[in-house]
Amino acid sequence: GARRALADPVWAEGVGSVRPLDLVRNPGRVVGKALPLDPRAVAAGVCLGLAATARLTVVFGLPFLLLVGGGRWPRRTLSILMGTSLPILGLLAYNVATTGHLFHPGYEALYRQETAFYPLLYPYLEYHPDWGIEDPRYLPQNLRLMLLAPPEILPPCSDPSSPRALFDPDCPWLRPRDDGMSLLLTSPGWLLGLAALGAYGRSRLVTGAVLAVVSIALVNLMHFSQGWVQFGYRFSNDFAPFLLLLAGLGIDRLGPRRPLVLLLVAASVVVNAWGVVWGVILGW
């Protein structure tokens, strides 16, 4: 109402304050004045929503957009939520039209099939048919996989008398695990993000990125499966854009030419090159 308009200059700016010449010179600014929405924040929300239609857990990156950006927070929040909801509502409408369900039933069917069949062949996956597809009880084992899972070290050779080689699929020294490996081993450069955590609570950029990473990772880690036939931890792709910001800020704080920075970045390149070669060898 009028009281709110007087208290907030954003809401006070209306169509009446816009001159015709302004519409020609800067239409984007005019639209921003005439509506209680920030077009840039709406666009950012739409981008996040589109990403969520590919990987649903990406939507939990909302804290980043809500904290980072200009303008008054009520207007920014409304704009981002509006933009994010549009693609997601479209996805839900598509699901209802094609399957009769809000959420695609294929996920539940796949879950039931995998939890009934995979434990017989791969008991170390620790699937539990009596648990839910998203269950907090999966957190400990999945967190261990994401942070600590090593490669296969000295796996059994098909011919025990064969000498071991670096890229021999029948008798290697090391071989990546197809059910996942530690994110810190496959991409040690992510550790550089730790240098940015000192600004948590004081920097909206750092705080938003941390909350986005933790929120997305938490939901992923409650999922019964953490991927299959992968190098590293593929669910990290969901929060990688936000983690990349933290790594970049950490590099800036430490100095891009510091030996530690160069070592961790170089190690990430070498380890991923090793993974690419093995992916080709194993037909991944």
Side-chain angles (χ1 to χ4, degrees), residues 64-254:
F64 178 81
L65 293 186
L66 296 179
L67 285 175
V68 178
R72 296 178 177 272
W73 73 264
R75 186 185 191 215
R76 182 171 70 248
T77 299
L78 176 63
S79 302
I80 290 169
L81 293 178
M82 180 69 71
T84 304
S85 66
L86 293 177
I88 294 177
L89 289 175
L91 175 64
L92 296 179
Y94 174 80
N95 287 342
V96 172
T98 56
T99 69
H101 300 269
L102 273 177
F103 298 100
H104 202 291
Y107 291 108
E108 183 68 21
L110 184 62
Y111 168 63
R112 295 302 171 191
Q113 180 180 353
E114 289 192 14
T115 53
F117 174 69
Y118 277 17
L120 301 177
L121 298 178
Y122 313 105
Y124 60 87
L125 292 177
E126 300 182 73
Y127 290 169
H128 300 273
D130 55 326
W131 293 3
I133 189 171
E134 291 280 335
D135 197 303
R137 289 174 288 184
Y138 280 117
L139 276 169
Q141 65 194 56
N142 290 337
L143 186 63
R144 184 173 66 249
L145 185 152
M146 183 178 78
L147 298 180
L148 301 177
E152 292 185 75
I153 302 173
L154 300 177
C157 298
S158 55
D159 182 358
S161 63
S162 298
R164 292 189 180 272
L166 186 60
F167 293 110
D168 184 352
D170 296 320
C171 197
W173 292 99
L174 296 172
R175 184 167 56 203
R177 296 171 59 96
D178 50 10
D179 61 322
M181 285 172 51
S182 165
L183 183 63
L184 303 181
L185 290 177
T186 55
S187 300
W190 288 134
L191 290 169
L192 294 168
L194 295 174
L197 296 185
Y200 180 83
R202 296 184 289 109
S203 164
R204 289 195 296 170
L205 183 61
V206 171
T207 305
V210 169
L211 292 177
V213 170
V214 172
S215 300
I216 295 172
L218 184 64
V219 177
N220 277 336
L221 290 169
M222 289 192 292
H223 192 61
F224 81 101
S225 171
Q226 294 298 290
W228 188 248
V229 186
Q230 60 184 323
F231 177 71
Y233 179 67
R234 70 180 181 88
F235 283 7
S236 65
N237 289 328
D238 296 355
F239 54 77
F242 307 103
L243 190 54
L244 185 61
L245 286 173
L246 294 174
L249 291 170
I251 291 174
D252 182 67
R253 185 173 184 273
L254 294 171

